C-alpha cells in the first residue's frame, strides 16, 4: 500500500481527493467539521515538503448542476483558518480559470476546486472529465474513504493518468489498515455484531463474515425477519417477507459451519413507533399482535454482552434498536459498553458503517473502542469482500 509517507512532495502539484461532504447549517456555516479536520494532516504533510495542493471534493447531492447550497465556497474561510493560509477557490472544477489558478500555484499554496458533482460526469466516471481534472496536477492522492466504493471520475478513473505518481492519504491508509486487520489478521474469538433496520442491506456482509467469525450477533429491526423464518409471531415488528427464505438459509449455514449465531431472545416492545407509547417486553417468538419490537430485551442484552466481552476481535455495524429514542436505546448502549470492555481487555474493535458510529458517539464510547470508521457504504462493501474501485485504482500501476 503506497501512502504519502512513501513520497516527497517538493515542487509537486498534488491533486488531492478529500471528503469535504460536511453538513451545513441554513446560513451555510459548517455544523460538523470532522471530515475537514481529518484531512488536515495529509494536506500539511504535502505543504511542509514544499508541494502545492489542489483539493477536490463533492458536497451533498446536487441534481442537475451548480446549486448555491452545495457550493464548496462555504468552507473556504474555515479551511483557511485551519491551515493558516489563504486557500484559493476555483468556481468551476475544470476549465480555463481552474487551469490558470493551478498554473499560478507556488510551493505550499492550496487551491480548492468547486463541487465535483456540479458535473454529472463525476458520478458517471466519465473519462474525458477525469482527464481534464488530471491535467491540473502532476500527482494524485486519494484520501476520501467514504467514496472509495464508487468508481467516480475523481475517486478511481483519474488514477490511470498518474502511473507511479499516486498514493493514499493518511485517512485512507488508516481506514484500510484497520479494516484489513479485522478482515485478514484477526485474532479469535472473532465476533461480528450486525444491527440496523433492514436485513436486505446486510445480507451480503453477513454471508461474507460467516466465512470468518466464531460468533455472529444479529440485533435491531433486521432480527425479526429471522424470527419470522423460525415460525415466530413477531406482531407489528419490522419484517422483510421476501428475505425470510434467505434468513432460513443463514440459520442453517451457521449450524453447518459451527458458527454461534446469536439472535435476541427478547425485545422491548411498543404499540407505536414512538417514545411515548405503551411499552412492554416480549419473547421474540411471541410478540403480541399489536406490538412491535423496537429494542433488544434484558435477556438478549446479557447474552450479547457476555459473548462480546470474551472476544478478541469485534466488528460492529448497526444499532440494536431505535437508539434515537430513549426508551429503546438500552440494547445499543449495552453493546457499546461490551465492545468497550472487550477493547479494554485487549480486543481489537472496529465500529462503523453508519449508525453504529453515531451511537458510539452519542453514548460517549468513541475513545473506548479501537477504531471508529468514517466509511458507511464503503466499509460495508469492504467487508462484503468486494474490491473498492478507489482502492484498486491506486494499487494498480
Ligand atoms: P441501518 O441504517 O440499516 O444501520 O439502520 C439504522 C436504523 O435502524 C436506526 O435509525 C434505528 O432506529 C433503526 N432500527 C433499529 N432497530 C429497529 C427496530 N427494531 N425497528 C425499527 N427500526 C429499527
Amino acid at each position: 500500500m503506497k501512502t504519502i509517507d512513501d513520497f516527497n512532495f517538493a515542487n509537486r502539484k498534488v491533486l488531492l481527493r478529500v471528503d469535504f461532504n460536511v453538513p451545513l447549517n441554513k446560513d451555510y456555516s459548517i455544523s460538523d467539521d470532522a471530515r475537514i479536520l481529518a484531512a488536515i494532516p495529509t494536506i500539511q504533510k504535502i505543504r511542509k515538503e514544499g508541494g502545492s495542493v489542489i483539493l477536490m471534493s463533492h458536497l451533498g447531492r446536487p441534481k442537475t448542476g451548480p446549486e448555491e447550497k452545495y457550493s464548496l465556497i462555504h468552507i473556504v474561510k474555515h479551511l483557511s483558518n485551519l491551515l493558516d493560509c489563504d486557500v484559493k477557490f476555483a468556481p468551476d472544477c475544470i476549465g480555463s480559470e481552474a487551469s490558470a489558478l493551478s498554473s499560478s500555484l507556488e510551493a505550499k499554496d492550496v487551491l480548492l476546486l468547486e463541487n465535483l458533482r456540479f458535473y454529472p460526469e463525476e458520478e458517471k466516471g466519465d473519462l474525458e472529465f477525469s482527464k481534464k481534472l488530471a491535467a491540473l496536477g502532476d500527482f494524485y492522492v486519494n484520501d476520501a474513504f467514504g467514496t472509495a466504493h464508487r468508481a467516480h471520475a475523481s475517486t478511481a478513473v483519474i488514477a490511470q493518468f498518474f502511473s507511479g505518481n499516486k498514493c493514499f492519504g493518511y485517512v485512507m491508509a488508516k481506514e484500510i489498515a484497520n479494516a484489513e486487520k479485522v478482515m485478514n489478521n484477526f485474532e479469535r474469538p472473532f465476533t461480528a455484531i450486525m444491527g440496523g433496520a433492514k436485513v436486505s442491506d446486510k445480507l451480503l456482509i453477513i454471508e461474507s463474515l460467516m466465512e470468518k467469525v466464531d460468533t455472529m450477533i444479529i440485533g435491531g429491526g433486521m432480527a425479526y425477519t429471522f424470527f419470522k423464518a423460525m415460525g415466530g409471531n413477531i406482531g407489528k415488528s419490522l419484517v422483510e417477507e421476501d428475505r425470510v427464505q434467505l434468513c432460513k438459509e443463514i440459520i442453517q449455514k451457521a449450524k453447518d459451519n459451527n458458527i454461534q449465531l446469536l439472535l435476541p431472545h427478547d425485545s422491548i416492545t411498543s404499540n407505536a413507533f414512538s417514545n411515548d407509547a405503551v411499552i412492554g417486553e416480549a419473547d421474540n417468538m411471541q410478540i403480541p399482535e399489536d406490538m412491535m419490537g423496537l429494542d433488544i430485551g434484558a435477556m438478549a442484552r446479557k447474552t450479547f454482552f457476555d459473548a462480546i466481552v470474551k472476544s478478541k476481535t469485534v466488528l460492529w455495524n448497526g444499532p440494536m434498536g431505535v437508539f434515537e429514542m430513549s426508551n429503546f436505546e438500552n440494547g445499543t448502549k449495552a453493546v457499546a459498553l461490551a465492545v468497550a470492555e472487550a477493547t479494554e481487555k485487549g480486543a481489537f474493535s472496529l465500529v462503523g458503517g453508519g449508525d453504529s458510529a453515531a451511537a458510539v458517539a452519542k453514548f460517549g464510547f468513541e475513545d473506548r473502542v479501537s477504531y471508529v470508521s468514517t466509511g458507511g457504504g464503503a466499509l460495508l462493501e469492504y467487508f462484503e469482500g468486494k474490491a473498492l474501485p478507489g482502492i484498486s485504482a491506486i494499487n494498480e500501476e
Side-chain angles (χ1 to χ4, degrees), residues 354-384:
D355 271 340
S356 36
V360 160
K362 180 178 175 188
F363 302 132
F365 285 94
E366 262 171 327
D367 297 332
R368 294 179 64 189
V369 301
S370 307
Y371 189 67
V372 181
S373 171
T374 58
L379 191 80
L380 280 184
E381 289 199 18
Y382 182 90
F383 284 107
E384 284 168 8

Side-chain angles (χ1 to χ4, degrees), residues 3-116:
T3 78
I4 54 168
D5 281 335
D6 298 313
F7 296 89
N8 184 288
F9 295 97
N11 301 316
R12 304 219 75 158
K13 212 165 262 190
V14 180
L15 264 168
L16 171 56
R17 177 56 159 101
V18 287
D19 180 1
F20 283 174
N21 185 25
V22 291
L24 297 178
N25 298 314
K26 282 214 169 73
D27 64 354
Y28 302 136
S29 58
I30 300 162
S31 66
D32 177 359
D33 68 350
R35 286 178 170 160
I36 302 178
L37 286 176
I40 300 295
T42 300
I43 301 171
Q44 296 297 51
K45 143 93 173 153
I46 298 165
R47 294 182 65 221
K48 205 167 134 203
E49 293 175 351
S52 54
V53 183
I54 302 161
L55 296 166
M56 317 184 272
S57 180
H58 72 284
L59 176 64
R61 293 177 180 274
K63 286 189 195 78
T64 49
E67 279 179 73
E68 164 78 6
K69 65 176 173 182
Y70 296 130
S71 173
L72 281 165
I73 199 158
H74 306 308
I75 71 158
V76 170
K77 201 168 151 213
H78 187 55
L79 184 62
S80 297
N81 289 337
L82 290 172
L83 292 173
D84 199 19
C85 78
D86 279 329
V87 172
K88 299 177 192 324
F89 183 72
D92 186 346
C93 64
I94 53 171
S96 55
E97 194 174 352
S99 298
L101 281 163
S102 155
S103 302
S104 71
L105 290 179
E106 293 181 6
K108 301 186 187 217
D109 279 354
V110 181
L111 168 66
L112 173 65
L113 304 180
E114 181 56 289
N115 194 344
L116 297 161

Side-chain angles (χ1 to χ4, degrees), residues 232-251:
N233 297 318
I234 58 166
K236 293 196 295 179
S237 307
L238 219 55
V239 65
E240 286 174 276
E241 298 285 353
D242 54 345
R243 296 296 194 275
V244 169
Q245 183 54 33
L246 273 163
C247 289
K248 280 185 189 161
E249 286 166 27
I250 290 173
I251 293 168

Side-chain angles (χ1 to χ4, degrees), residues 279-292:
I279 294 194
E281 286 174 56
D283 182 306
N284 278 340
M285 291 299 280
Q286 292 160 21
I287 298 179
E289 269 314 67
D290 57 339
M291 300 294 269
M292 62 182 88

